[in-house]
Structures are given as C-alpha cells and as structure tokens.
C-alpha cells in the first residue's frame, strides 16, 4: 500500500458483506467499507477503511466484539507475513533461530518466490513419501478459519490424494460434539434469539460476555422481563460477575451436579412425564440411577463445592420454570447455554451428556426459549464429502484410507509415534500421558504441514510438542498470517490471507443463518488462501484430477449441493444477494421453530432423546478427587483459561488486544488460603509446575477462583517470561500448555486442558 502517485483523481467507496471466520459461535455478518483510489496514471489502489457488524443480520445486529471491531489494525499490521520464506541454511529452529529477539524473527528466514516455495515443498513431500510412505506426512489444522472452504476443502482433497495421515481434529469440541449427538443425534440447540423468552438462563461453563457476546443482548432482554441468570463456572468470569448468581463448581464435577439436579427433579415430581414418554428413551433407567443416594444434593455438595441447599433451589427453579403459576417473574421456560469448557475434562463427554439430558427431563424444549444450546453447527447440511472428497485416498499410493493421528497428542505423534527413540534424549521432566489411547500403525511423522493453527502455543503437553518441532529430520511447512510460535519452527513459511481477502461460505455454531463471505480486498502482499495454496501445490505434485482446479465459486456450489430440506432454496446466488439466509428448519402449526419439541427432531438410533447409558460420575484422575491428587505432589487444579480478548492464541500479538488483556497478563490467580499456605503474597513471582513442565507467573491473590483452584491464561510462548529457561532469559519460554497433558477425554478422544494438577511455589528472585 501507499505506492500510488500523490495525485489522486478519484475516490470511490463500496460496502462488501463478509463473514467473520474466527472460531466463535457468533459467525457475524461484517460490512467492510472499501475505498478505491484512482491515481492520475490510472493505477487503482483499494483499502478497507471500516468494519462494522451487519445491522440486517438477526444475531449480529450491527455490532462486532472487541476482538474484531478494530480488525483493520490486524489486517494491515506491519507484522503481517506478506511473502514466502525458507529457513536460512544454519539457522536453528525455534525462537533461538533469530536470537530470541522479539520482532527479529525474519532474521532466521530468507525470502523466496511462490514458485520456489511450492517447488521446494512438493519436492520434499515427494521424497519423504517415497522413503517413508505418504502417511509420514501429517497435516495439522483447526479452526483458524471456520469458513467451509478455508476450514476443510481443497486441503483435504490434497492430503487424501497424497495418502497423508488424516488428522483427528479433537482439540476443542470433539468430546462435547460427540456427546451431544449421542443424546440428540444432531448438534442443534435453542436459537439465540429465543433466549429472550426464557425465565431462567443457566450459563454452564459459558463465558457468554467473553466469547459469545451476541447472545448477551438477548439474555439481557430476558432479564429485563424478570429472567434470572445463573452461571456455573469454576472461574469468576466476566459473565459470572454480571450474573444474578455464580456457582463456583469444582473443575470436572459437572456430571455430579447434573445428577443431583436430576435427583431433585425426579424426587419432587418435576419431570415432564408426557414428554419423557413421547420423546425420550431410557427415562425409567435414568430415574432410578439419579435417585440413588450417591446423587443426593448433600453428596453432590461434597464433590462440587456447591452447597446442597443451593443445588436444591436451582433444581426446583429449573423444574418449575415455564409452568403456569409457579414462582414469580415471567412465565418463560429454562434454557441452558452450555459451552465447551465443560467437556475439556477427562470425563467431559459424560458431563455434556448429563447436562444435555436436563431439558429432556423437564420438557423445556416444548416452549419457545427453552432447551439448551451447545452448538448449532449440525443444522447446516453442507456437503462435506463433495468438498473434501475422501475417495481420493483410493487414488493415492496407499490405495486405501490413511491412518488417523489425534491432534490432541501432537507431542506424542512427533516424538514417539512410529519411532520410540525420537526425542527421548530430551524427555525433560516427564513422559507424555497416553490417556489409554493406542497408536495407529505406520511410519514416524517426517513432514508436518500446519495451517489454521498455532500448535506450538495451543497444543497440550507443550514441552513434548516443542521437542518434536526441534527435530532436524522433521520438515515443517507453516501457512500463517504472523510470526507465531509455530512459525518459529518452520522450514518453509507461507503467507496466509485473512477473511477480508478470500471468498467462503459459512454456517455457525451459535445461530441458524448461512452466509457467503465476499472478498473485500485483494490478499495483501503475496498472501494466498488455503484453497489456492493447495490447488497450486496439487499441480506441483502432479495430481491431474479436475477437482484440483475447482474455483471458490465451484466449491461453494459443491458445498451447497444437497437435497437436505434444511438447505432447500439456499443457493450461492441467493446468499450473495441477501447476505444471510435462515435455514429451512421445520416449524410447528404456529410457525415456531422449536427444536426437539417433538420426537421427529431426534436423529439418534432410537429416534428419541437418548437417556442411556446413564451418566456416571467419575472424578478426573487429575483432580482433587482423583488418584493423581492422592500423592499430594500436585494438589492444585489448574484452569488454563482462554483470554477474553484473544481467540485462543489469535490476536495475542496485536498491541490493542494486549492492552485490553494487560490486567491478566502473566498472572496466576490464587485463592487467599492457597496463597497463604505457600507463603505467597499478592504480586509475588511464582513457579507453577508439575511433572510435565513449569512456567513463571506473578501471583494475583483474590476471589476469582475457589480454594484449591488456580487459573492462568493462554498466551504466545514468546510473549511469556522464562527467567529460568534458555539463554538470555527468554529463549525457551513456555505458556500454560507446558503444564497440560495429552490424556484424552472419555468420549471423542478430545483434549483435557481442564484436568491438570499443579503445585505452586514462590520464586527465588
Ligand atoms: S469473533 Fe465472534 S463476536 Fe467477534 S466478530 Fe467474529 S464472530 Fe463476531
């Protein structure tokens, strides 16, 4: 930018409808104002000058969150990666490669052209596949963009055709997603707009104000009519601070609380027997299970830390909500906003199943504004098979579907899978947990292709991950927008486009509107979309199938090509014309869309809301009630939280966001009793450690966490201090994931960030 001659002849503006593709339930409609400057010599330069929420979008309603409201600072950041690079000969991998001087990352790299980059990558992938088999190549991506094309289309075609290992994308939501489908058969929930009709809103592990902000006005509207907001969360989030009540549940005990609520509902006859009979399967078995003494409110109080009388009162309010004449206030029903934090625990899948059963017991789904929302993503019947073409694996050298590697065990995959000797010499303070998972057969990972993710910062058991990244024999490609922690380990670094620069089609996991995102500006510098990157790489690999020549428009058409009735009438042309289009969900005689109000909605094998197998509470091994705590070595439960103003690790490098997060940067939040027991005072430097690693933080003593729980938030490694690690005091910094494990969840084989035990000691300065 800024290359035009001074004499501007003409300035024009236009407004483009885009969709925020960050990993957030709200999938906002975004209006981007673009200014076109035409110089005297005819040269045209375009620049986005404003982003705002689309007022026509029924959920966005004209505003954006604090993370994206000033998005142009990120798009036009001087730190954007704008051209391909390769690691200089002799430059070490990791932050040490540039001397660990912030802002000097480029010193480890040299600029190359896209042609050189693609040729180099193709040659390396071919050579590695020939020597070790194509499964030695591992793609690693997640939800850096959740547009259908950017999240999974041409990239999947490429890796299927190559025969590369498949990636089980489990790191965030798999346990909860699978659990929800076990109960309902589909990931669907209460529409956000309907929350205004609720009388009781329970935010269960849901920091709505922090990361689902477009639901908040609907809740506030309900509260103005008398609704009560109860937050169940171990941490006093922004949402908890604004609620009518905050129940500080102990981590990993949600199943027990749900069972105790069921206990009261069944004991006091607050279940909806007609609904249970018509719409569920297994009600009698669940009833007998819930009524056991071990699920009494008194027993649950011992486990969860929530007083028995509070549990009883909440269960009664929940069971009576929506019933005529019961209680005071408006006559609306109860709705639960359950979020994914609940399932990032060893038994988190069971916890989601248990909580998700509550509205089936009370029949809350029958009323507008009742029910539960964890995710609505299953309502969008995108044709993922057409986009991803898994059948291409049959044309790969394997001639079959490739093995699957779990992304939640990346450290293990890079250091032990297929070759138990890799990395063991640097095994550090402890070996990774395996969580009962068995290894897929096949070769070690020899090439890693990272896009849409920053695993060096966000993957659990970070020390193992970084040991893997440091391997000399690992060829790493990173497609990124910034010099992330992962970019520091790249052999080839490719510039990625932002959502303002690409075309895509998108659903949502927090509302029910499909949208097309139009490119507002051309990709900056030489940045390229995922679609273009993998299409061009496919040509270099010699893949001749026509599917590697699909354009963005072709791919959108393919994504929408389905005869599913919920997408009836939704075409690319219509989405482009209207911006956002409501799904064709079935309505009742009154014209209302009430998910799970009748048996037809359920997609389970039984065709009913599935209440079996009954949920059984088992304390996580890494929790105060589990076996790991009995050693007494690591008695504190760690919440490695996401920052309110970042999106996982995205935005952590943007100065505005850093200022918004300054209040929590580098802090360990502790309960006064736990701090006093360790001689720690507010502001003291502390070491937080367990067998997997340690990090240096500063204690903040207060009431944000209950006794026995400590909390710190995710950041980029290289923005953390590491006074005890590495040369110059900052060469090998870690973040909270130095402490988290690769143990997997009970359902869905997901990550268990919130089942982490640690100890804390005062640092010696
Ligand atoms: S991050 Fe979420 S709330 Fe913010 S603009 Fe994007 S979709 Fe909307």
């Amino acid at each position: 930018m800024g290359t035009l001659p001074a004499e501007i002849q003409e300035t024009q503006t236009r407004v483009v409808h885009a969709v925020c593709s960050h990993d957030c339930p709200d999938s906002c409609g975004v209006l981007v104002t673009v200014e076109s400057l035409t110089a005297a010599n005819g040269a045209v330069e375009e620049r986005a000058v404003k982003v705002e929420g689309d007022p026509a979008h029924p959920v966005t309603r004209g505003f954006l969150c604090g993370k994206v409201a000033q998005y142009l600072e990120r798009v036009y950041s001087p730190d954007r990666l704008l051209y391909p690079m390769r690691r200089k000969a002799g430059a070490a991998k990791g932050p040490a490669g540039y001397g660990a001087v912030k802002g000097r990352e480029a010193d480890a790299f040299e600029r190359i052209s896209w042609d050189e980059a693609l040729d180099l990558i193709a040659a390396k992938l071919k050579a590695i596949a020939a020597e070790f088999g194509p499964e030695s190549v591992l793609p690693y991506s997640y939800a850096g963009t959740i547009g259908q094309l950017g999240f999974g289309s041409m990239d999947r075609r490429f890796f299927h055709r190559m025969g590369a290992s498949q990636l089980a994308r489990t790191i965030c939501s798999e346990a909860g997603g699978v659990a929800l489908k076990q109960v309902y058969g589909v990931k669907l929930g209460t529409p956000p707009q309907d929350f205004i009709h609720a009388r009781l809103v329970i935010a269960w592990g849901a920091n709505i104000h922090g990361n689902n902000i477009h639901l908040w006005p609907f809740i506030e509207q309900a509260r103005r009519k008398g609704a009560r907001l109860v937050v169940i969360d171990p941490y006093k989030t922004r949402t908890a601070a604004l609620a009518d009540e905050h129940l500080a549940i102990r981590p990993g005990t949600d199943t027990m609380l749900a069972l105790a609520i069921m206990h009261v509902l069944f004991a006091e006859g607050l279940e909806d027997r007609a609904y249970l009979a018509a719409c569920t399967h297994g009600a009698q078995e669940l009833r007998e299970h819930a009524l056991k003494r071990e699920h009494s409110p008194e027993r649950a109080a011992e486990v969860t830390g929530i007083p028995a009388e509070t549990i009883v009162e909440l269960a009664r309010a929940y069971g009576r909500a929506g019933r005529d004449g019961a209680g005071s206030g408006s006559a609306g029903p109860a709705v639960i906003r359950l979020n994914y934090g609940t399932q990032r625990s060893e038994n988190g899948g069971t916890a989601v199943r248990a909580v998700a059963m509550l509205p089936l017991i009370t029949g809350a789904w029958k009323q507008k504004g009742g029910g539960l929302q964890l995710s609505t993503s299953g309502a969008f019947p995108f044709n993922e098979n057409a986009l991803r073409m898994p059948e291409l694996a049959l044309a790969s050298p394997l001639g079959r579907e490739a093995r699957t590697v779990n992304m939640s065990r990346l450290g293990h995959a890079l250091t032990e899978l297929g070759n138990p000797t890799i990395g063991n010499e640097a095994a550090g303070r402890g070996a990774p947990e395996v969580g009962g998972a068995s290894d897929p057969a096949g070769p070690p990972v020899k090439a890693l292709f990272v896009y849409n993710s920053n695993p060096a910062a966000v993957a659990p058991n970070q020390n193992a991950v970084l040991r893997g990244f440091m391997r000399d024999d690992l060829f790493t490609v990173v497609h990124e927008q910034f010099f992330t922690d992962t970019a520091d380990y790249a052999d080839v670094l490719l510039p990625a486009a932002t959502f303002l620069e690409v075309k895509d089609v998108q659903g949502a996991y927090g509302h029910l509107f499909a949208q097309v995102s139009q490119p507002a500006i051309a990709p900056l510098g030489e940045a390229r979309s995922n679609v273009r990157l993998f299409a061009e790489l496919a040509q270099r690999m010699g893949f001749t199938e026509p599917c590697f020549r699909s354009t963005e428009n072709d791919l959108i058409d393919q994504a929408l090509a389905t005869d599913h009735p919920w997408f009836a009438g939704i075409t690319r042309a219509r989405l482009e014309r209207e911006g956002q289009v409501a799904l064709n969900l079935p309505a009742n005689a009154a014209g209302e869309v009430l998910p799970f109000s009748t048996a037809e909605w359920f997609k389970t094998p039984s065709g009913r809301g599935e209440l079996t197998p009954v949920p059984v509470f088992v304390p996580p091994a890494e929790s105060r009630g589990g076996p790991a705590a009995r050693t007494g070595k690591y008695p504190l439960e760690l919440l490695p939280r996401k920052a309110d103003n970042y999106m996982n690790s995205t935005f952590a490098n943007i100065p505005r966001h850093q200022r918004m997060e300054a209040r929590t940067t580098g802090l360990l939040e502790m309960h006064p009793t736990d701090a006093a027991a360790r001689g720690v005072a507010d502001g003291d430097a502390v070491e937080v450690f367990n067998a997997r690693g340690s990090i240096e933080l500063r204690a903040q003593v207060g009431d944000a966490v209950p006794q026995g729980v400590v909390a710190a938030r995710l950041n980029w490694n290289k923005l953390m201090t590491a006074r005890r690690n590495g040369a110059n005091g900052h060469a090998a910094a870690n973040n909270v994931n130095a402490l988290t494990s690769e143990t997997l969840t009970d359902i869905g084989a997901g990550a268990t960030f919130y089942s982490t035990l640690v100890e804390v000691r005062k640092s010696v300065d």
Side-chain angles (χ1 to χ4, degrees):
M1 298 298 292
T3 54
L4 280 178
E7 319 82 56
I8 302 298
Q9 290 286 298
E10 193 180 351
T11 302
Q12 289 185 330
T13 58
R14 60 195 166 88
V15 176
V16 178
H17 180 272
V19 185
C20 176
S21 72
H22 286 285
D23 187 3
C24 168
D26 296 8
S27 282
C28 287
V30 181
L31 299 182
V32 187
T33 304
V34 180
E35 220 170 61
S36 299
L37 310 176
T38 306
N41 64 0
V44 178
E45 186 173 284
E46 292 202 323
R47 188 177 177 91
V49 294
K50 188 163 78 174
V51 294
E52 57 197 325
D54 184 352
H57 191 294
V59 178
T60 306
R61 300 209 292 185
F63 76 96
L64 301 174
C65 67
K67 289 183 271 278
V68 175
Q70 304 297 327
Y71 200 64
L72 298 180
E73 290 179 18
R74 183 169 188 274
V75 173
Y76 293 111
S77 164
D79 297 335
R80 272 287 295 273
L81 294 178
L82 295 177
Y83 45 81
M85 287 175 273
R86 74 174 156 219
R87 183 168 296 280
K88 286 177 184 168
K93 292 185 181 184
Y98 53 88
V101 180
K102 183 176 173 330
R104 294 278 301 277
E105 289 93 335
D107 290 359
F109 293 90
E110 58 191 0
R111 181 174 178 175
I112 55 176
S113 69
W114 264 102
D115 280 341
E116 288 174 295
L118 294 169
D119 286 343
L120 192 164
I121 295 166
K124 283 290 285 186
L125 294 185
K126 284 179 187 173
I128 288 170
E131 186 175 355
F132 300 99
E135 287 171 309
S136 63
V137 176
L138 179 66
Y140 188 100
S141 73
Y142 198 64
T145 169
I146 62 171
Q148 287 290 307
L149 276 48
F151 179 77
S153 62
M154 195 64 80
D155 54 317
R156 310 298 169 93
R157 292 179 183 184
F158 177 86
F159 290 114
H160 285 313
R161 174 64 182 80
M162 199 190 158
S165 288
Q166 301 183 80
L167 186 72
R169 290 175 170 81
T170 59
I171 197 166
C172 179
S173 62
E174 191 67 3
V178 174
L180 192 68
K181 284 200 273 190
Q182 287 181 0
V183 179
Y184 289 94
V186 57
K187 287 164 81 173
L188 176 60
T190 310
Q193 309 94 303
D194 288 356
F195 276 59
I196 61 172
H197 302 294
R199 178 168 92 195
L200 173 63
V201 180
I202 299 178
W204 198 314
N207 182 10
I208 296 160
H209 208 269
N211 47 39
N212 182 197
I213 189 65
H214 291 84
L215 183 60
W216 187 254
F218 298 117
I219 293 175
E220 279 294 281
Q221 219 172 320
R223 293 176 83 185
R224 282 196 291 277
K225 292 193 294 177
R228 170 183 168 200
L229 173 64
V230 178
V231 171
I232 299 170
D233 199 310
Y235 184 83
K236 189 174 178 183
T237 61
R238 230 192 266 177
T239 310
L242 293 166
D244 298 295
E245 275 153 89
H246 171 210
L247 310 185
I249 190 171
R250 291 176 184 151
T253 65
D254 306 81
T255 303
M256 180 57 104
L257 178 59
L259 282 165
I261 292 172
M262 292 180 198
H263 183 99
V264 176
L265 293 175
F266 284 119
E268 301 193 4
L270 293 171
E271 75 273 32
D272 184 333
R273 290 185 188 158
Y275 179 85
L276 282 168
C279 294
T280 70
H281 169 257
Q284 184 57 25
E285 204 179 323
L286 181 66
R287 174 190 169 84
E288 288 167 12
H289 176 67
L291 285 173
K292 290 176 181 168
R293 195 183 309 169
E294 69 207 55
H295 302 136
S296 68
E298 292 72 25
R299 175 70 189 116
E302 293 167 17
V303 172
T304 63
I306 300 171
E309 55 275 20
T310 304
I311 297 173
V312 171
E313 193 281 326
L314 177 64
R316 286 176 179 159
Y318 183 73
R320 290 174 182 165
R323 296 190 178 207
D324 288 339
S328 58
S330 70
V335 65
I336 298 173
R337 178 57 168 111
L338 177 62
N339 215 337
Y340 283 113
T342 307
Q343 46 97 69
R344 290 188 197 111
S345 171
E346 288 173 29
N347 301 308
T350 299
V352 165
R353 286 182 58 246
V355 176
M357 288 175 186
L358 293 173
L360 295 176
I361 295 169
T362 61
W365 292 107
K366 294 190 305 188
Q367 289 180 287
K368 200 171 178 61
L372 174 141
Q373 189 194 96
L374 172 64
S375 170
T376 60
S377 66
F380 297 86
F382 288 112
N383 191 338
E384 289 181 354
N385 275 344
L387 275 182
R388 301 174 185 180
M389 301 183 68
E391 69 275 14
L392 285 167
L394 300 178
S396 77
L398 290 175
R400 60 168 169 81
E401 190 178 323
R403 70 175 178 187
T404 299
V405 175
N406 190 334
M407 73 186 307
S408 297
R409 302 183 69 218
L410 179 64
H412 175 75
L414 295 181
T415 58
E416 297 187 61
L417 180 63
N419 184 350
T421 63
I422 294 173
N424 276 3
E425 73 283 355
R429 298 184 192 213
E433 291 76 359
V434 296
S438 57
D439 276 347
V445 177
K446 290 288 186 176
L448 186 71
F449 204 126
V450 182
Y451 55 105
N452 292 354
S453 187
N454 180 16
V458 304
N461 196 14
Q462 185 170 80
N463 284 321
V465 172
L466 299 186
R467 282 200 303 278
F469 272 125
M470 285 299 288
R471 281 171 41 202
D472 287 337
D473 66 332
L474 179 72
F475 176 65
T476 303
V477 181
V478 178
H479 186 221
E480 247 305 345
Q481 295 163 348
F482 290 94
F483 270 114
T484 61
D485 289 326
T486 307
D488 287 340
Y489 296 86
D491 292 293
V492 180
L493 190 49
L494 303 171
T498 67
F499 77 83
L500 261 56
E501 300 155 51
V502 299
K503 186 163 187 174
D504 214 323
V505 65
Q506 193 166 314
Y509 61 98
H511 64 66
L512 298 165
F513 296 88
Q515 301 176 83
V516 155
S517 187
Q518 296 281 11
I521 52 174
L524 261 60
E526 297 178 11
R528 289 189 183 174
S529 67
N530 293 355
V531 169
R532 190 166 168 210
L533 161 61
F534 286 103
E536 295 191 355
L537 198 53
Q539 305 308 318
R540 296 301 207 284
M541 296 291 286
F543 301 158
T544 55
E545 288 84 353
C547 65
F548 291 109
R549 298 187 186 280
S550 294
T551 64
E552 276 86 355
N553 282 345
D554 295 337
L555 289 166
I556 293 172
D557 291 341
Q558 291 157 18
L560 296 172
T562 169
D563 54 9
H564 196 293
W566 296 0
F567 257 1
I570 297 181
T571 61
R572 175 164 58 88
R574 186 171 167 211
L575 290 169
E576 289 173 348
R577 197 171 57 244
E578 298 179 23
Q580 54 271 321
V581 176
L583 297 175
N584 289 302
L585 296 170
N588 63 16
E592 297 170 326
V593 174
L594 299 180
F596 309 114
S597 54
T598 58
E600 290 71 35
W601 284 88
F602 295 91
K603 308 297 178 198
T604 54
S606 66
R608 297 284 188 274
E610 190 53 73
L611 302 176
T612 61
V614 294
V616 175
F617 172 68
V618 179
E622 287 204 40
S623 72
R624 73 183 75 193
R630 286 182 208 128
T631 67
K633 282 172 78 175
Y634 308 114
L636 297 171
E637 296 167 321
L638 172 69
L639 297 175
R641 301 187 60 248
K642 300 181 183 203
D644 283 356
N645 297 293
Y646 304 160
M647 184 80 64
N648 298 310
S649 73
T650 306
F651 297 104
N653 63 320
I654 305 297
R656 176 187 293 273
H657 296 69
Q658 290 173 343
R659 287 194 294 276
M660 291 194 288
E661 274 299 321
R663 195 180 52 80
T664 67
T665 300
L667 294 181
L668 180 77
E669 292 175 274
M670 297 186 78
H671 189 273
T673 308
D674 296 322
R678 291 161 179 77
V680 172
D682 193 59
D684 279 350
V686 291
E687 184 188 9
V688 191
F689 62 98
N690 60 20
R692 292 175 289 270
S694 77
I695 56 173
E696 299 278 344
L697 296 168
R698 201 158 285 281
Q700 184 174 66
V701 181
D703 67 350
V705 286
Q707 188 178 347
V709 179
V710 291
R713 67 150 179 77
L714 183 67
N715 203 351
W716 283 15
N717 304 335
K718 59 185 160 189
L719 298 179
M720 302 286 289
T721 58
R723 293 175 301 116
R724 290 161 188 259
N725 294 331
N728 305 322
H730 50 179
N734 282 118
N735 67 16
V736 285
N737 278 315
L739 303 162
T740 56
S741 82
E742 293 183 86
T743 300
L744 301 177
T745 51
D746 54 345
I747 295 172
T752 56
F753 296 105
Y754 298 151
S755 294
T756 300
L757 286 176
V758 298
E759 179 55 292
V760 175
R761 63 179 158 230
K762 190 172 169 178
S763 297
V764 181
D765 284 314

